[in-house]
């Protein structure tokens, strides 16, 4: 930390009350408990993406009101470090004038996280486009809708799970489900489908390539790998996981049985999940707890049917 940053943090103002701390936490300003009156101010991004002009404004705010340091959270928001309580209203106003908002805390839908999606060689869906729609519809659209607990959403472009969709309250994973045309299979000694499958779900048995559906992750790596056309046809879609979590308690989300092929249906299903959590969740429990208490089959039927 620079000498200027140290001086800014060490400056002591009036110690805020617990009500003050709670008030500004709801605005995305988190108290640094090593100090009396210093906060880190959380600036919302759309799945980690900001423009150069927005970054310049955040940088200016960090220099003017904080220590000049900026940290990134695990949810891909930015935190301006070392803002004194007396400067919180000013920094929020400064950011708002430049089209930026603070927040990302509380028992609400949290900012959506996504991977790089189609800019990654393995991406199967446009994660940025989908997560931006979710940001508008759910993070902003449900911003005044209190829930039993926080609700986290992650969008992964493929089964590599880089942003851990299955460890979020609701996760979406891009899929490419193979439809093998075994009439074209020649039982090659070196099967290109088997060779290119990263999870070893494909293997040649009795002169034909076989796929173990319980092992296959629908990553699409075998697409067009067969020179004789066995792997030309696929169904592109989305797998939705519900009831994941990490932290003090850990749970793998379970996938809904349906492969979703329409983006609007995906969005509608996410909304159903949030509303079910709002209406049937109990105060203080995470969505994973709600799913376990109500039963996965019950929740799945609510979301699909």
């Amino acid at each position: 930390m620079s000498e200027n940053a140290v001086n800014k943090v060490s400056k002591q103002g009036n110690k805020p009350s617990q009500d003050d701390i709670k008030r500004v936490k709801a605005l995305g300003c988190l108290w640094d408990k090593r100090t009396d009156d210093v906060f880190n101010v959380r600036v919302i991004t759309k799945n980690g993406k900001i423009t150069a002009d927005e970054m310049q404004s955040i940088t200016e705010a960090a220099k003017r009101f904080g220590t000049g340091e900026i940290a990134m959270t695990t949810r891909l928001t930015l935190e301006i470090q070392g803002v004194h309580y007396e400067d919180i209203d000013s920094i929020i106003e400064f950011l708002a004038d430049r089209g930026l908002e603070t927040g990302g805390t509380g028992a609400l839908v949290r900012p959506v996280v996504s991977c790089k999606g189609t800019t990654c060689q393995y991406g199967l869906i446009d994660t940025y486009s989908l997560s931006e729609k979710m940001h508008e519809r759910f993070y902003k659209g449900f911003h005044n809708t209190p829930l039993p607990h926080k609700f986290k959403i992650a969008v992964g472009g493929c089964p590599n799970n880089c942003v851990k969709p299955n460890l979020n309250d609701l996760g979406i994973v891009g899929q490419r489900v193979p439809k093998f045309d075994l009439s074209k299979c020649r039982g090659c000694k070196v099967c290109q489908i088997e060779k290119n499958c990263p999870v070893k779900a494909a293997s040649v048995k009795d002169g034909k390539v076989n796929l173990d559906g319980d092992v296959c992750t629908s990553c699409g790596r075998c697409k067009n790998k067969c020179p004789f056309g066995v792997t030309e046809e696929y169904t592109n879609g989305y797998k939705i996981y519900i009831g994941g979590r990490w932290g003090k308690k850990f749970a793998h989300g379970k996938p809904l049985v349906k492969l979703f092929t329409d983006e609007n249906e995906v969005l509608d299903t996410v909304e159903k999940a949030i509303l079910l959590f709002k209406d049937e969740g109990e105060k203080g429990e995470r969505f994973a707890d709600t799913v376990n208490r109500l039963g996965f089959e019950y929740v799945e039927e609510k979301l699909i049917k």
Side-chain angles (χ1 to χ4, degrees), residues 168-215:
N168 281 254
D169 296 284
L170 187 143
I172 298 166
V173 178
Q175 298 279 276
R176 182 168 287 158
V177 182
K179 297 179 181 179
F180 285 10
D181 186 350
L182 295 181
S183 67
K184 299 178 180 179
C185 179
R186 301 190 182 184
C188 301
K189 289 184 178 180
V190 180
C191 173
Q192 294 302 311
I193 300 173
E194 182 178 359
K195 181 179 178 180
N196 285 278
C197 179
V199 295
K200 307 305 179 186
S203 61
V204 176
K205 296 178 181 178
D206 300 324
K208 293 289 184 181
V209 65
N210 286 268
L211 181 70
D212 187 337
D214 293 331
V215 177

Side-chain angles (χ1 to χ4, degrees), residues 92-110:
I92 290 176
E93 182 180 0
F94 177 89
L95 292 167
D97 288 344
R98 290 152 180 80
L100 294 161
E101 59 181 322
T102 63
T105 59
L108 301 165
V109 176
R110 295 293 183 88

Side-chain angles (χ1 to χ4, degrees), residues 127-239:
T127 55
Y128 276 139
S129 174
L130 179 58
S131 58
E132 285 182 2
K133 291 173 184 175
M134 289 186 173
H135 178 87
E136 295 298 324
R137 181 166 169 176
F138 304 125
Y139 174 71
K140 298 186 76 170
F142 280 74
H143 198 62
N144 294 319
T145 303
L147 300 173
H149 210 301
K150 58 190 172 186
F151 192 91
K152 296 181 177 181
I153 303 171
V155 182
C158 79
N160 281 352
N161 285 346
C162 294
V163 292
K164 307 175 184 65
N166 63 334
L167 296 181
N168 281 254
D169 296 284
L170 187 143
I172 298 166
V173 178
Q175 298 279 276
R176 182 168 287 158
V177 182
K179 297 179 181 179
F180 285 10
D181 186 350
L182 295 181
S183 67
K184 299 178 180 179
C185 179
R186 301 190 182 184
C188 301
K189 289 184 178 180
V190 180
C191 173
Q192 294 302 311
I193 300 173
E194 182 178 359
K195 181 179 178 180
N196 285 278
C197 179
V199 295
K200 307 305 179 186
S203 61
V204 176
K205 296 178 181 178
D206 300 324
K208 293 289 184 181
V209 65
N210 286 268
L211 181 70
D212 187 337
D214 293 331
V215 177
C216 177
T217 61
S218 302
C219 67
R221 305 270 192 96
C222 59
K223 183 179 181 181
N224 296 327
K225 289 296 188 293
C226 175
F228 304 107
V230 171
T231 56
E232 290 181 344
E233 292 189 29
Y234 286 78
T235 299
N236 293 316
Y238 312 80
K239 179 184 286 188

Side-chain angles (χ1 to χ4, degrees), residues 35-53:
T35 69
D36 284 341
D37 72 327
V38 175
F39 293 76
N40 297 328
V41 178
R42 187 171 292 177
V43 184
I44 300 304
T45 70
K46 292 183 179 180
N47 55 51
K49 184 188 288 186
I50 56 175
T51 67
D53 288 340

